[in-house]
Short mmCIF file of all heavy atoms in Angstrom, two decimals:
data_model
loop_
_atom_site.label_atom_id
_atom_site.label_comp_id
_atom_site.label_asym_id
_atom_site.label_seq_id
_atom_site.Cartn_x
_atom_site.Cartn_y
_atom_site.Cartn_z
N GLN A 189 -17.51 300.53 -93.20
CA GLN A 189 -18.43 301.30 -92.38
C GLN A 189 -19.21 300.35 -91.50
O GLN A 189 -19.88 299.44 -92.02
CB GLN A 189 -19.38 302.11 -93.25
CG GLN A 189 -20.41 302.91 -92.49
CD GLN A 189 -19.81 304.03 -91.66
OE1 GLN A 189 -18.92 304.74 -92.12
NE2 GLN A 189 -20.27 304.18 -90.42
N MET A 190 -19.11 300.53 -90.20
CA MET A 190 -19.76 299.61 -89.25
C MET A 190 -20.80 300.38 -88.45
O MET A 190 -20.46 301.31 -87.72
CB MET A 190 -18.70 299.01 -88.32
CG MET A 190 -17.56 298.32 -89.06
SD MET A 190 -16.41 297.48 -87.95
CE MET A 190 -15.74 298.86 -87.05
N ASN A 191 -22.05 300.00 -88.62
CA ASN A 191 -23.16 300.63 -87.90
C ASN A 191 -23.82 299.62 -86.97
O ASN A 191 -23.61 298.42 -87.10
CB ASN A 191 -24.19 301.17 -88.89
CG ASN A 191 -23.62 302.23 -89.82
OD1 ASN A 191 -22.73 303.00 -89.44
ND2 ASN A 191 -24.13 302.28 -91.04
N SER A 192 -24.61 300.14 -86.06
CA SER A 192 -25.34 299.29 -85.10
C SER A 192 -24.42 298.26 -84.47
O SER A 192 -24.73 297.06 -84.40
CB SER A 192 -26.51 298.58 -85.82
OG SER A 192 -27.38 299.53 -86.40
N LEU A 193 -23.30 298.72 -83.99
CA LEU A 193 -22.28 297.82 -83.44
C LEU A 193 -22.78 297.12 -82.18
O LEU A 193 -23.54 297.69 -81.38
CB LEU A 193 -20.99 298.59 -83.16
CG LEU A 193 -20.16 298.87 -84.41
CD1 LEU A 193 -19.17 300.00 -84.16
CD2 LEU A 193 -19.43 297.62 -84.85
N LYS A 194 -22.34 295.88 -82.04
CA LYS A 194 -22.71 295.04 -80.91
C LYS A 194 -21.43 294.63 -80.15
O LYS A 194 -20.35 294.58 -80.74
CB LYS A 194 -23.41 293.78 -81.41
CG LYS A 194 -24.62 294.03 -82.28
CD LYS A 194 -25.17 292.73 -82.83
CE LYS A 194 -26.37 292.97 -83.74
NZ LYS A 194 -26.90 291.69 -84.28
N PRO A 195 -21.56 294.29 -78.87
CA PRO A 195 -20.37 293.84 -78.13
C PRO A 195 -19.67 292.66 -78.81
O PRO A 195 -18.44 292.56 -78.74
CB PRO A 195 -20.95 293.45 -76.77
CG PRO A 195 -22.15 294.34 -76.61
CD PRO A 195 -22.73 294.46 -77.99
N GLU A 196 -20.42 291.81 -79.47
CA GLU A 196 -19.81 290.66 -80.15
C GLU A 196 -19.02 291.04 -81.39
O GLU A 196 -18.35 290.19 -81.98
CB GLU A 196 -20.86 289.60 -80.50
CG GLU A 196 -22.07 290.12 -81.24
CD GLU A 196 -23.24 290.42 -80.31
OE1 GLU A 196 -23.02 291.00 -79.21
OE2 GLU A 196 -24.38 290.08 -80.69
N ASP A 197 -19.06 292.30 -81.78
CA ASP A 197 -18.21 292.78 -82.88
C ASP A 197 -16.82 293.14 -82.40
O ASP A 197 -15.94 293.45 -83.21
CB ASP A 197 -18.83 294.02 -83.54
CG ASP A 197 -20.15 293.71 -84.25
OD1 ASP A 197 -20.24 292.67 -84.91
OD2 ASP A 197 -21.09 294.53 -84.12
N THR A 198 -16.59 293.09 -81.10
CA THR A 198 -15.28 293.40 -80.55
C THR A 198 -14.24 292.42 -81.06
O THR A 198 -14.40 291.21 -80.95
CB THR A 198 -15.33 293.35 -79.00
OG1 THR A 198 -16.20 294.38 -78.53
CG2 THR A 198 -13.95 293.54 -78.41
N ALA A 199 -13.18 292.96 -81.65
CA ALA A 199 -12.13 292.12 -82.25
C ALA A 199 -11.04 293.03 -82.80
O ALA A 199 -11.22 294.25 -82.88
CB ALA A 199 -12.70 291.26 -83.37
N VAL A 200 -9.95 292.42 -83.21
CA VAL A 200 -8.97 293.11 -84.05
C VAL A 200 -9.40 292.90 -85.49
O VAL A 200 -9.65 291.76 -85.91
CB VAL A 200 -7.54 292.56 -83.83
CG1 VAL A 200 -6.57 293.26 -84.76
CG2 VAL A 200 -7.14 292.75 -82.37
N TYR A 201 -9.51 294.00 -86.22
CA TYR A 201 -9.94 293.94 -87.61
C TYR A 201 -8.74 294.08 -88.53
O TYR A 201 -7.91 294.98 -88.36
CB TYR A 201 -10.96 295.05 -87.88
CG TYR A 201 -12.33 294.72 -87.34
CD1 TYR A 201 -12.57 294.70 -85.96
CD2 TYR A 201 -13.39 294.38 -88.19
CE1 TYR A 201 -13.82 294.38 -85.45
CE2 TYR A 201 -14.64 294.06 -87.68
CZ TYR A 201 -14.85 294.06 -86.32
OH TYR A 201 -16.09 293.74 -85.83
N TYR A 202 -8.69 293.19 -89.52
CA TYR A 202 -7.59 293.16 -90.47
C TYR A 202 -8.11 293.35 -91.89
O TYR A 202 -9.14 292.77 -92.25
CB TYR A 202 -6.88 291.82 -90.43
CG TYR A 202 -6.25 291.46 -89.10
CD1 TYR A 202 -6.97 290.79 -88.12
CD2 TYR A 202 -4.92 291.78 -88.84
CE1 TYR A 202 -6.40 290.45 -86.92
CE2 TYR A 202 -4.33 291.44 -87.62
CZ TYR A 202 -5.09 290.78 -86.67
OH TYR A 202 -4.50 290.45 -85.47
N CYS A 203 -7.38 294.12 -92.68
CA CYS A 203 -7.69 294.11 -94.11
C CYS A 203 -6.70 293.19 -94.81
O CYS A 203 -5.58 292.97 -94.32
CB CYS A 203 -7.70 295.51 -94.71
SG CYS A 203 -6.10 296.28 -94.90
N ALA A 204 -7.12 292.67 -95.94
CA ALA A 204 -6.33 291.70 -96.68
C ALA A 204 -6.51 291.94 -98.17
O ALA A 204 -7.54 292.46 -98.60
CB ALA A 204 -6.74 290.29 -96.30
N ALA A 205 -5.51 291.51 -98.93
CA ALA A 205 -5.54 291.71 -100.38
C ALA A 205 -5.13 290.43 -101.09
O ALA A 205 -4.26 289.70 -100.62
CB ALA A 205 -4.60 292.85 -100.77
N THR A 206 -5.75 290.21 -102.23
CA THR A 206 -5.35 289.09 -103.08
C THR A 206 -5.38 289.52 -104.53
O THR A 206 -6.29 290.24 -104.96
CB THR A 206 -6.25 287.86 -102.89
OG1 THR A 206 -5.82 286.84 -103.79
CG2 THR A 206 -7.72 288.16 -103.17
N ARG A 207 -4.40 289.06 -105.27
CA ARG A 207 -4.36 289.33 -106.71
C ARG A 207 -4.98 288.18 -107.49
O ARG A 207 -5.22 288.31 -108.69
CB ARG A 207 -2.91 289.51 -107.16
CG ARG A 207 -2.61 290.90 -107.61
CD ARG A 207 -1.20 291.05 -108.04
NE ARG A 207 -1.02 292.37 -108.62
CZ ARG A 207 0.15 292.90 -108.90
NH1 ARG A 207 1.25 292.21 -108.65
NH2 ARG A 207 0.25 294.10 -109.42
N THR A 208 -5.24 287.09 -106.81
CA THR A 208 -5.77 285.92 -107.48
C THR A 208 -7.26 286.09 -107.75
O THR A 208 -8.00 286.57 -106.88
CB THR A 208 -5.55 284.67 -106.62
OG1 THR A 208 -4.17 284.55 -106.31
CG2 THR A 208 -6.02 283.42 -107.34
N SER A 209 -7.68 285.70 -108.92
CA SER A 209 -9.10 285.72 -109.26
C SER A 209 -9.69 284.33 -109.04
O SER A 209 -9.22 283.36 -109.63
CB SER A 209 -9.30 286.14 -110.72
OG SER A 209 -8.90 287.47 -110.92
N TYR A 210 -10.70 284.26 -108.19
CA TYR A 210 -11.35 282.99 -107.89
C TYR A 210 -12.72 282.96 -108.54
O TYR A 210 -13.53 283.87 -108.37
CB TYR A 210 -11.49 282.80 -106.38
CG TYR A 210 -10.16 282.76 -105.65
CD1 TYR A 210 -9.74 283.83 -104.87
CD2 TYR A 210 -9.33 281.65 -105.75
CE1 TYR A 210 -8.53 283.79 -104.21
CE2 TYR A 210 -8.11 281.61 -105.10
CZ TYR A 210 -7.71 282.68 -104.33
OH TYR A 210 -6.51 282.65 -103.68
N SER A 211 -12.99 281.89 -109.26
CA SER A 211 -14.30 281.75 -109.89
C SER A 211 -15.36 281.39 -108.87
O SER A 211 -16.55 281.67 -109.05
CB SER A 211 -14.24 280.69 -110.99
OG SER A 211 -13.81 279.45 -110.46
N THR A 212 -14.92 280.77 -107.78
CA THR A 212 -15.84 280.41 -106.71
C THR A 212 -15.80 281.52 -105.66
O THR A 212 -14.81 281.70 -104.98
CB THR A 212 -15.46 279.07 -106.07
OG1 THR A 212 -15.46 278.06 -107.07
CG2 THR A 212 -16.44 278.70 -104.97
N ILE A 213 -16.89 282.27 -105.55
CA ILE A 213 -16.93 283.44 -104.66
C ILE A 213 -16.66 283.04 -103.21
O ILE A 213 -16.04 283.80 -102.46
CB ILE A 213 -18.28 284.16 -104.79
CG1 ILE A 213 -18.48 284.67 -106.21
CG2 ILE A 213 -18.39 285.30 -103.79
CD1 ILE A 213 -17.40 285.64 -106.66
N ARG A 214 -17.07 281.86 -102.83
CA ARG A 214 -16.89 281.40 -101.45
C ARG A 214 -15.42 281.42 -101.04
O ARG A 214 -15.09 281.58 -99.86
CB ARG A 214 -17.48 280.01 -101.30
CG ARG A 214 -17.26 279.38 -99.94
CD ARG A 214 -17.90 278.00 -99.88
NE ARG A 214 -17.40 277.12 -100.92
CZ ARG A 214 -16.26 276.45 -100.85
NH1 ARG A 214 -15.47 276.60 -99.80
NH2 ARG A 214 -15.88 275.65 -101.83
N TYR A 215 -14.51 281.26 -102.00
CA TYR A 215 -13.09 281.24 -101.67
C TYR A 215 -12.65 282.56 -101.03
O TYR A 215 -11.70 282.59 -100.24
CB TYR A 215 -12.26 280.98 -102.92
CG TYR A 215 -12.33 279.56 -103.42
CD1 TYR A 215 -11.74 279.21 -104.65
CD2 TYR A 215 -12.95 278.57 -102.70
CE1 TYR A 215 -11.80 277.92 -105.12
CE2 TYR A 215 -13.01 277.27 -103.16
CZ TYR A 215 -12.44 276.95 -104.37
OH TYR A 215 -12.51 275.67 -104.85
N TYR A 216 -13.31 283.65 -101.37
CA TYR A 216 -12.93 284.94 -100.81
C TYR A 216 -13.25 285.07 -99.33
O TYR A 216 -12.82 286.02 -98.68
CB TYR A 216 -13.60 286.08 -101.57
CG TYR A 216 -13.03 286.29 -102.96
CD1 TYR A 216 -13.73 285.87 -104.08
CD2 TYR A 216 -11.80 286.92 -103.14
CE1 TYR A 216 -13.22 286.06 -105.36
CE2 TYR A 216 -11.28 287.11 -104.40
CZ TYR A 216 -11.99 286.68 -105.51
OH TYR A 216 -11.49 286.87 -106.77
N THR A 217 -13.99 284.12 -98.79
CA THR A 217 -14.27 284.12 -97.36
C THR A 217 -13.18 283.39 -96.57
O THR A 217 -13.22 283.37 -95.34
CB THR A 217 -15.63 283.48 -97.05
OG1 THR A 217 -15.56 282.08 -97.30
CG2 THR A 217 -16.73 284.09 -97.89
N GLU A 218 -12.23 282.80 -97.26
CA GLU A 218 -11.19 281.99 -96.61
C GLU A 218 -9.91 282.79 -96.48
O GLU A 218 -9.35 283.27 -97.47
CB GLU A 218 -10.97 280.71 -97.43
CG GLU A 218 -12.23 279.87 -97.56
CD GLU A 218 -12.04 278.69 -98.50
OE1 GLU A 218 -10.92 278.46 -98.95
OE2 GLU A 218 -13.06 278.01 -98.76
N LYS A 219 -9.43 282.90 -95.27
CA LYS A 219 -8.26 283.75 -95.02
C LYS A 219 -7.02 283.24 -95.75
O LYS A 219 -6.15 284.02 -96.13
CB LYS A 219 -7.98 283.86 -93.52
CG LYS A 219 -7.74 282.56 -92.79
CD LYS A 219 -7.59 282.81 -91.31
CE LYS A 219 -7.31 281.51 -90.55
NZ LYS A 219 -8.46 280.60 -90.59
N GLU A 220 -6.96 281.95 -96.02
CA GLU A 220 -5.79 281.38 -96.70
C GLU A 220 -5.68 281.85 -98.15
O GLU A 220 -4.63 281.71 -98.78
CB GLU A 220 -5.86 279.85 -96.69
CG GLU A 220 -5.74 279.23 -95.32
CD GLU A 220 -7.04 279.24 -94.54
OE1 GLU A 220 -8.09 279.63 -95.12
OE2 GLU A 220 -7.03 278.87 -93.35
N LYS A 221 -6.76 282.41 -98.69
CA LYS A 221 -6.76 282.84 -100.08
C LYS A 221 -6.22 284.25 -100.26
O LYS A 221 -6.16 284.74 -101.39
CB LYS A 221 -8.19 282.77 -100.64
CG LYS A 221 -8.78 281.35 -100.67
CD LYS A 221 -7.97 280.44 -101.59
CE LYS A 221 -8.66 279.12 -101.87
NZ LYS A 221 -8.67 278.22 -100.70
N TYR A 222 -5.84 284.92 -99.19
CA TYR A 222 -5.31 286.28 -99.28
C TYR A 222 -3.81 286.26 -99.03
O TYR A 222 -3.34 285.64 -98.08
CB TYR A 222 -6.01 287.19 -98.27
CG TYR A 222 -7.47 287.43 -98.61
CD1 TYR A 222 -8.45 286.50 -98.28
CD2 TYR A 222 -7.86 288.59 -99.26
CE1 TYR A 222 -9.77 286.71 -98.60
CE2 TYR A 222 -9.19 288.82 -99.58
CZ TYR A 222 -10.14 287.87 -99.24
OH TYR A 222 -11.46 288.09 -99.56
N GLU A 223 -3.07 286.96 -99.87
CA GLU A 223 -1.61 286.95 -99.77
C GLU A 223 -1.05 288.03 -98.85
O GLU A 223 0.03 287.87 -98.30
CB GLU A 223 -0.98 287.15 -101.16
CG GLU A 223 -1.30 286.07 -102.20
CD GLU A 223 -2.50 286.45 -103.03
OE1 GLU A 223 -2.35 287.32 -103.92
OE2 GLU A 223 -3.58 285.88 -102.80
N TYR A 224 -1.78 289.13 -98.73
CA TYR A 224 -1.22 290.28 -98.01
C TYR A 224 -2.18 290.72 -96.92
O TYR A 224 -3.40 290.74 -97.12
CB TYR A 224 -0.97 291.44 -98.99
CG TYR A 224 -0.11 291.03 -100.15
CD1 TYR A 224 -0.67 290.81 -101.41
CD2 TYR A 224 1.26 290.84 -99.99
CE1 TYR A 224 0.11 290.41 -102.47
CE2 TYR A 224 2.05 290.45 -101.05
CZ TYR A 224 1.47 290.23 -102.29
OH TYR A 224 2.25 289.84 -103.34
N TRP A 225 -1.57 291.12 -95.79
CA TRP A 225 -2.36 291.49 -94.62
C TRP A 225 -1.82 292.75 -93.97
O TRP A 225 -0.61 293.01 -93.99
CB TRP A 225 -2.31 290.36 -93.58
CG TRP A 225 -3.03 289.13 -94.02
CD1 TRP A 225 -2.55 288.13 -94.81
CD2 TRP A 225 -4.38 288.79 -93.72
NE1 TRP A 225 -3.52 287.19 -95.02
CE2 TRP A 225 -4.65 287.57 -94.36
CE3 TRP A 225 -5.39 289.39 -92.98
CZ2 TRP A 225 -5.89 286.92 -94.27
CZ3 TRP A 225 -6.62 288.77 -92.88
CH2 TRP A 225 -6.87 287.55 -93.52
N GLY A 226 -2.74 293.52 -93.38
CA GLY A 226 -2.33 294.64 -92.56
C GLY A 226 -2.04 294.18 -91.14
O GLY A 226 -2.16 292.99 -90.82
N GLN A 227 -1.68 295.14 -90.29
CA GLN A 227 -1.29 294.81 -88.93
C GLN A 227 -2.48 294.72 -87.98
O GLN A 227 -2.34 294.23 -86.86
CB GLN A 227 -0.29 295.85 -88.41
CG GLN A 227 -0.90 297.13 -87.84
CD GLN A 227 -1.52 298.03 -88.90
OE1 GLN A 227 -1.32 297.83 -90.10
NE2 GLN A 227 -2.27 299.04 -88.46
N GLY A 228 -3.63 295.19 -88.41
CA GLY A 228 -4.84 295.12 -87.61
C GLY A 228 -5.12 296.38 -86.83
O GLY A 228 -4.21 297.15 -86.49
N THR A 229 -6.40 296.60 -86.53
CA THR A 229 -6.82 297.72 -85.70
C THR A 229 -7.90 297.22 -84.74
O THR A 229 -8.80 296.48 -85.13
CB THR A 229 -7.33 298.90 -86.56
OG1 THR A 229 -7.62 300.02 -85.73
CG2 THR A 229 -8.58 298.54 -87.37
N GLN A 230 -7.77 297.63 -83.48
CA GLN A 230 -8.67 297.12 -82.44
C GLN A 230 -10.00 297.86 -82.46
O GLN A 230 -10.04 299.10 -82.48
CB GLN A 230 -8.03 297.28 -81.06
CG GLN A 230 -8.91 296.87 -79.90
CD GLN A 230 -9.11 295.37 -79.82
OE1 GLN A 230 -8.15 294.60 -79.92
NE2 GLN A 230 -10.36 294.94 -79.62
N VAL A 231 -11.08 297.10 -82.42
CA VAL A 231 -12.42 297.65 -82.27
C VAL A 231 -13.02 297.05 -81.00
O VAL A 231 -13.07 295.82 -80.86
CB VAL A 231 -13.32 297.32 -83.48
CG1 VAL A 231 -14.77 297.71 -83.19
CG2 VAL A 231 -12.80 298.03 -84.72
N THR A 232 -13.43 297.91 -80.08
CA THR A 232 -14.03 297.46 -78.84
C THR A 232 -15.40 298.10 -78.70
O THR A 232 -15.53 299.33 -78.76
CB THR A 232 -13.16 297.83 -77.63
OG1 THR A 232 -11.85 297.27 -77.80
CG2 THR A 232 -13.77 297.29 -76.35
N VAL A 233 -16.42 297.26 -78.52
CA VAL A 233 -17.79 297.73 -78.38
C VAL A 233 -18.26 297.42 -76.96
O VAL A 233 -18.32 296.26 -76.57
CB VAL A 233 -18.72 297.08 -79.40
CG1 VAL A 233 -20.13 297.67 -79.29
CG2 VAL A 233 -18.17 297.25 -80.82
#
């Protein structure tokens, strides 16, 4: 859910999935840690 959208939010948005459990939460911010990806959806503000 995206509220108060700004022009700088304009991008292709992708969802991703990982089955790996990381003890370091910061790892979940790294795209390399996700195995599966969607095709993306365009958001233009």
